[in-house]
Amino acid sequence: MKRSALITIVLALALALPVATFAGQGENSPATGTLVGSWVASVTPDPASGVPPFRELFTFHNDGTLTMTDDNAPAPPFPFTPGHGVWKKSDQVNYVFHYLNLIYDPASYASNGQTSITVHVKLGDDRDSFSGTGHLKVSDNAGNVLFEADGTISATRITIDQP
């Protein structure tokens, strides 16, 4: 009898934990009003760079780290991996984030260097959007800069009620 009661309690806790965790990430969570969460962004590089506009997905984590991926990663001449980086709050509504992507040769998968992107954004009044500017540096494995470009970014928070 004691064993079945213990199993029931463990199962109840195991089932309740994901629900409690998910409920804590809703619109009333402490993360609202910060970058924490997932975003879809539109990036417009400086036309002089020759790079067309593209979209990115970002997830900003509570611990100040971020992950990103975009829809132009396989574009030549710099195919690269998803990005990983860090972010911090500059003041009440301004943030800076920095992330890296590893560049590779798609034929051999040999490492060819990395991208380094630094972005400064301002959180919108609605706290569900941000916009700003960024700077990209592409370097080879020896650290030689191969390409640089500036651009603008605007993003909206991914919410539970989006299609």
Side-chain angles (χ1 to χ4, degrees):
M1 188 72 165
K2 288 183 181 183
R3 181 178 174 166
S4 65
L6 181 59
I7 290 173
T8 302
I9 291 170
V10 169
L11 284 174
L13 288 173
L15 292 173
L17 183 59
V19 172
T21 301
F22 181 74
Q25 295 174 358
E27 294 191 357
N28 293 322
S29 75
T32 300
T34 73
L35 288 185
V36 172
S38 293
W39 302 76
V40 61
S42 295
V43 176
T44 305
D46 180 336
S49 72
V51 178
F54 57 94
R55 295 185 322 151
E56 294 181 313
L57 295 173
F58 286 94
T59 299
F60 295 90
H61 310 279
N62 275 329
D63 65 355
T65 61
L66 72 88
T67 52
M68 67 70 61
T69 192
D70 63 37
D71 64 2
N72 83 338
F78 306 116
F80 51 82
T81 64
H84 294 265
V86 294
W87 67 274
K88 70 177 184 175
K89 195 171 192 173
S90 302
D91 60 34
Q92 195 62 24
V93 293
N94 291 293
Y95 295 82
V96 61
F97 52 95
H98 178 83
Y99 60 96
L100 306 176
N101 305 88
L102 302 179
I103 303 170
Y104 62 93
D105 178 337
S108 67
Y109 297 104
S111 176
N112 283 343
Q114 71 180 27
T115 69
S116 175
I117 300 101
T118 301
V119 183
H120 296 267
V121 298
K122 181 177 182 179
L123 199 60
D125 291 339
D126 61 1
R127 302 299 192 244
D128 285 333
S129 63
F130 68 72
S131 61
T133 60
H135 184 76
L136 160 77
K137 283 186 184 179
V138 178
S139 303
D140 64 16
N141 284 332
N144 300 308
V145 176
L146 305 173
F147 179 79
E148 289 188 67
D150 292 313
T152 60
I153 186 170
S154 60
T156 56
R157 188 182 301 274
I158 298 172
T159 62
I160 196 75
D161 56 337
Q162 288 176 328

